[in-house]
Amino acid sequence: MRFHRTTTLILLGSIALFGCKKKEEAPPPEATVTPAPVETPAPAATPAPVPFKVTSIDLGKAIGPDKKVTDPATTFGPKDTIYVVVSSEGTGPDVKLTAKWTFGDKGQPVGTEDKTVTPNGSAGATEFHASKKTGWPVGKYKVEILADGTSAGAKEFEVKK
């Protein structure tokens, strides 16, 4: 019987030893992923070019290096330099901007100044100015801005003592 007990113990020990061993799991089957259909993006729509236009006309006593009015005004002294900044945007061929200065109710011409701008799509600023060594006569004035001969707007101002 001793033989039987020893055999039984060896058999149980072997079962316990090898029976606790984890079975290696078979690797999971590879998932088959079906890629989503690739959509070719539509080409980005090129925005239509914006034609040249004057966006604002600003008067002042001083301008900064960016050609923006830093001291806005509509009333000036006889010895002041009067600045006009024409802001514009758009694209197109060169545009001739004209500042036409007039005095009084009858629009007596004081002077004109022309500048050519090349619109490139980004916002731009064109500066005009007028001064008089002998001083401006007191009264009401107007500066009209023309773009290629067509009025783009006007600003009135006054000279006081």
Side-chain angles (χ1 to χ4, degrees):
M1 203 153 221
R2 194 170 203 217
F3 175 72
H4 187 56
R5 267 193 222 165
T6 307
T7 306
T8 304
L9 284 175
I10 291 174
L11 185 60
L12 286 175
S14 296
I15 291 173
L17 188 74
F18 292 109
C20 288
K21 182 179 176 188
K22 285 187 173 181
K23 289 184 180 179
E24 286 190 31
E25 295 180 20
E30 287 187 30
T32 52
V33 178
T34 309
V38 177
E39 292 183 28
T40 306
T46 305
V50 176
F52 175 84
K53 69 177 179 177
V54 170
T55 56
S56 69
I57 301 169
D58 301 303
L59 282 170
K61 294 182 180 184
I63 60 170
D66 60 353
K67 294 186 181 179
K68 301 280 183 187
V69 172
T70 59
D71 186 8
T74 56
T75 303
F76 298 87
K79 297 287 185 175
D80 287 343
T81 298
I82 302 161
Y83 292 93
V84 176
V85 174
V86 179
S87 298
S88 60
E89 65 182 20
T91 60
D94 287 354
V95 175
K96 181 173 123 182
L97 290 178
T98 302
K100 183 178 163 187
W101 306 83
T102 58
F103 171 70
D105 293 333
K106 293 183 182 178
Q108 179 182 347
V110 174
T112 60
E113 184 179 3
D114 296 324
K115 293 194 178 178
T116 300
V117 296
T118 303
N120 62 7
S122 61
T126 306
E127 171 263 329
F128 297 94
H129 64 275
S131 62
K132 230 174 152 159
K133 288 182 183 181
T134 58
W136 295 102
V138 173
K140 294 186 179 200
Y141 292 80
K142 180 168 88 171
V143 60
E144 182 178 19
I145 302 300
L146 306 169
D148 284 336
T150 303
S151 181
K155 288 287 181 167
E156 293 182 356
F157 60 97
E158 190 171 0
V159 173
K160 293 182 177 180
K161 283 194 179 204

